Amino acid sequence: MKKFITPLLLFLTVNLMSAQYAGQVASGSSYNAASNALVSSVIGDMDDQYDRLSKQTGIDDFAGSPYTNDTFVQTPVFYDDESMGSYFYRYNAYNEEIEIKKTNLSEEKIAALTKDKSIKVMVNGKPMGFATFIDKKGNTLNGYLTTVLDGKTYDLYKRVNVKFTEGQKAQNSFVKAVPNRFTHFIEYYYQEKGVNRIDEVPLKTNKVAKLFKEPLRSEVKNYIKDNNLDVKEESDLIKVFNYLNEK
């Protein structure tokens, strides 16, 4: 597969592409095959999915959002280190899908980035891309991680995990219905340089320290205690990994 696709090719792909699932290659020319390596059709726009969830639950009201940003925001897109230009995106964390458009016009058809680990978008100046990682329960998962810290020894990533909770119908006129709800949870992951493994960071002081062997374990625990850090706070967790990167 070619490592560089021009912005024009991506633009044409967004408007002409017809594959029905991320990563699926449409039949036809080699042009379509190369195009679909980068962009695919969305699983289904959220209007359709709200309808599906409404029928599934019997409840039309929703609280929260499946998106980290409900509106499309402009961002540069990269394939490896090659720029593919600037596009508008929004991240559907419930579907683990980055939706993109070339313009912000409402009539433009929405496409999605293929779940390819070489593709990155910039989120507040930090790269976000598809990755394989291991959660705190030992499950191997695939999803999108945003780089929080690119360090000398350790990298730190953030994941927005969105859960859907079915609401409840009103049992009678005195009890209000409970809407369907999308709830956002923030998770953090780390990777040691040169190690092909990304693990979740447990957000408790003792458990963070236990990620490392002695004497580093005791040093990390003391650093957190001496500086009165709360590892549940992103800024404090970054301080911990900055400390580790200085060792």
Side-chain angles (χ1 to χ4, degrees):
M1 183 177 65
K2 293 182 178 179
K3 291 295 185 181
F4 174 66
I5 304 296
T6 65
L8 175 60
L9 178 56
L10 182 58
F11 172 70
L12 292 173
T13 301
V14 170
N15 287 278
L16 301 177
M17 183 278 313
S18 59
Q20 295 300 308
Y21 182 75
Q24 182 179 17
V25 176
S27 60
S29 67
S30 59
Y31 164 81
N32 285 332
S35 300
N36 286 329
L38 292 174
V39 184
S40 65
S41 292
V42 291
I43 294 173
D45 64 42
M46 278 311 301
D47 287 340
D48 293 338
Q49 292 185 61
Y50 278 126
D51 288 342
R52 175 179 61 79
L53 291 171
S54 293
K55 291 176 182 178
Q56 173 185 313
T57 62
I59 298 170
D60 293 330
D61 293 331
F62 291 82
S65 172
Y67 293 100
T68 56
N69 45 289
D70 289 322
T71 58
F72 281 87
V73 178
Q74 196 167 25
T75 184
V77 179
F78 294 89
Y79 193 90
D80 288 332
D81 294 327
E82 301 287 353
S83 173
M84 296 194 299
S86 183
Y87 297 86
F88 290 86
Y89 92 99
R90 64 181 179 185
Y91 176 48
N92 186 330
Y94 176 64
N95 284 343
E96 298 273 12
E97 189 171 58
I98 296 177
E99 301 175 3
I100 62 167
K101 299 195 297 181
K102 179 60 181 177
T103 72
N104 207 17
L105 298 175
S106 59
E107 62 267 25
E108 183 180 337
K109 183 179 178 181
I110 300 171
L113 289 179
T114 297
K115 294 173 180 178
D116 183 325
K117 294 178 182 180
S118 294
I119 300 174
K120 299 288 187 295
V121 300
M122 302 302 289
V123 179
N124 297 321
K126 300 289 187 179
M128 173 182 177
F130 194 67
T132 300
F133 44 87
I134 299 172
D135 69 11
K136 59 188 176 184
K137 295 181 180 179
N139 300 312
T140 298
L141 306 172
N142 292 301
Y144 282 94
L145 299 179
T146 301
T147 301
V148 174
L149 177 66
D150 184 357
K152 180 181 70 174
T153 307
Y154 296 98
D155 295 334
L156 183 64
Y157 305 96
K158 177 165 64 176
R159 179 191 183 208
V160 180
N161 187 11
V162 173
K163 301 290 187 182
F164 174 75
T165 304
E166 184 176 332
Q168 294 182 349
K169 296 180 180 179
Q171 299 301 312
N172 53 59
S173 59
F174 299 102
V175 179
K176 291 184 178 181
V178 177
N180 297 315
R181 180 176 296 276
F182 293 101
T183 306
H184 291 214
F185 298 92
I186 304 297
E187 301 169 354
Y188 293 92
Y189 292 80
Y190 81 103
Q191 182 177 23
E192 186 174 358
K193 296 288 190 183
V195 178
N196 187 27
R197 179 184 172 111
I198 301 174
D199 288 278
E200 186 171 0
V201 179
L203 300 180
K204 292 185 178 180
T205 297
N206 287 337
K207 291 186 176 181
V208 170
K210 286 181 180 179
L211 295 174
F212 310 98
K213 297 179 180 179
E214 293 290 4
L216 191 56
R217 176 179 297 179
S218 296
E219 292 174 4
V220 168
K221 186 175 181 180
N222 289 335
Y223 176 79
I224 293 172
K225 181 179 179 181
D226 293 344
N227 290 276
N228 195 29
L229 301 180
D230 181 355
V231 294
K232 294 180 181 179
E233 296 292 331
E234 182 175 305
S235 58
D236 284 356
L237 189 61
I238 290 173
K239 289 177 183 177
V240 173
F241 276 86
N242 275 329
Y243 171 77
L244 287 164
N245 283 316
E246 293 170 357
K247 302 298 290 182

